[in-house]
Each structure stands twice: as C-alpha cells, then as structure tokens.
Amino acid sequence: MQIHLLQLNQQLAEVIGIYYAQSYFGSTAKANVEQMINKMLETYKQRLQDNSWLSESTKNEALKKLDHITLKIGYPDKISDVYNDIQVSANKSLYENISAANKTWVQYSFNELYKPVDRTLWGPDVPANLINAFYDPTKNDITFPAAILQKPFL
C-alpha cells in the first residue's frame, strides 16, 4: 500500500498538494503569510536602499532582482495543464496507469519546451504538502509550501 501512495503522490503531486493545502491551510492563512513576507521584502528593500557600502550599480541590480522575485506561498493558484490529460482507469493495473501518466508527462514536457516559462507554476517537485522551504536563485523565487507553514513548524 505504501508504494501505491508514493507513486500516486509522484504522479499527482500538485493536485494532492492543493487538496491538502485547501483542506488544512486555507486562503486566509495564505493571505496572512503573503502579507508577512511582503513586509519582510519591503524591509529588505529599505535596507538595500540605505546601504552605504554597496555601489549604486550593485544596489540597483539587487533592488531590480528583489522587485522581480516570485513568491510561492502555501499552494499554487493554478496547476499545470498536464493534469487535464492524465487519465487513471480502474480497469488498468497500477503499472499501466503509471506508464500512461509518465508518457503524458513526457509529452507535456516536450510541448512546453519552446513556450514562455510560466513562473507562477509550482511544478510536481514542490507540492503544497511538502515539508520544506527554499529560495531558488535560478528562478528567483521563494517557496513556502503549506505543510511547512503549520504546527509544529511554525
């Protein structure tokens, strides 16, 4: 049974994460955390502006990067379109369902290859039920999934 749940979470991570977050975290908590983080970013912005040892060009670049940071708080507002194409059938084996989902993911990835990146999507590697938080410098985003924003972690 555990392997089935692990496979399910790998294939449907965003959907399960959103269900978890909306059930146990909610939109009010999400808004509160977003407000807190925006206050912290404003404080950081002010400290950068007031900094005396950075050159003006370095300050400007740091402020520009700060202004373009993407916040991923609690759970995504939308999920990848790939979930519209994943089909799970009770008439198929676990292996057949997983193979079909994997093929759908591969095709989706190829279809997205030359499209503009949607920076608001979280992706399957960071579901809302993940107990973790991080900054990704390659994407310039901060991610705080709902699971890490609840007791006993908060």
Side-chain angles (χ1 to χ4, degrees), residues 10-11 17 26 28 36 42 44 47 51 53 55 62 66 75 78-79 82 93 95 117 119 123 126 130 134 147:
Q10 287 176 343
Q11 299 300 330
T28 303
M36 247 190 317
E42 282 302 315
Y44 189 50
R47 288 182 180 177
N51 187 289
W53 58 270
S55 70
L66 187 62
Y75 54 91
K78 63 180 178 178
I79 61 172
V82 68
S93 70
Y95 176 79
V117 175
R119 295 183 63 220
V126 188
L130 179 71
F134 52 89

Side-chain angles (χ1 to χ4, degrees):
M1 181 67 161
Q2 277 186 326
I3 190 125
H4 300 314
L5 292 175
L6 179 62
Q7 289 293 328
L8 180 66
N9 199 43
Q10 287 176 343
Q11 299 300 330
L12 303 173
E14 288 179 87
V15 176
I16 293 169
I18 287 176
Y19 174 79
Y20 168 85
Q22 290 176 344
S23 298
Y24 300 105
F25 186 65
S27 59
T28 303
K30 179 178 175 154
N32 289 341
V33 173
E34 285 173 344
Q35 184 181 20
M36 247 190 317
I37 291 172
N38 282 322
K39 284 182 183 179
M40 286 189 282
L41 290 174
E42 282 302 315
T43 300
Y44 189 50
K45 185 176 186 175
Q46 188 62 50
R47 288 182 180 177
L48 277 171
Q49 290 169 337
D50 295 343
N51 187 289
S52 61
W53 58 270
L54 291 173
S55 70
E56 283 304 312
S57 63
T58 301
K59 275 197 238 185
N60 290 336
E61 288 300 313
L63 290 167
K64 187 164 81 173
K65 187 170 185 174
L66 187 62
D67 285 340
H68 289 92
I69 199 165
T70 301
L71 299 179
K72 295 177 178 178
I73 310 301
Y75 54 91
D77 294 321
K78 63 180 178 178
I79 61 172
S80 304
D81 291 335
V82 68
Y83 293 104
N84 296 328
D85 299 328
I86 292 177
Q87 301 293 318
V88 177
S89 172
N91 298 325
K92 292 183 180 178
S93 70
L94 175 64
Y95 176 79
E96 290 171 317
N97 279 308
I98 290 171
S99 292
N102 285 338
K103 287 178 187 175
T104 302
W105 272 106
V106 168
Q107 186 60 52
Y108 173 78
S109 297
F110 279 121
N111 292 344
E112 293 294 304
L113 195 57
Y114 294 106
K115 293 181 181 177
V117 175
D118 183 348
R119 295 183 63 220
T120 64
L121 291 176
W122 286 37
D125 297 333
V126 188
N129 58 330
L130 179 71
I131 299 173
N132 202 349
F134 52 89
Y135 170 72
D136 184 343
T138 61
K139 296 177 184 175
N140 193 31
D141 67 28
I142 296 174
T143 306
F144 287 100
I148 197 74
L149 295 171
Q150 298 179 72
K151 290 181 182 179
F153 308 106
L154 192 60

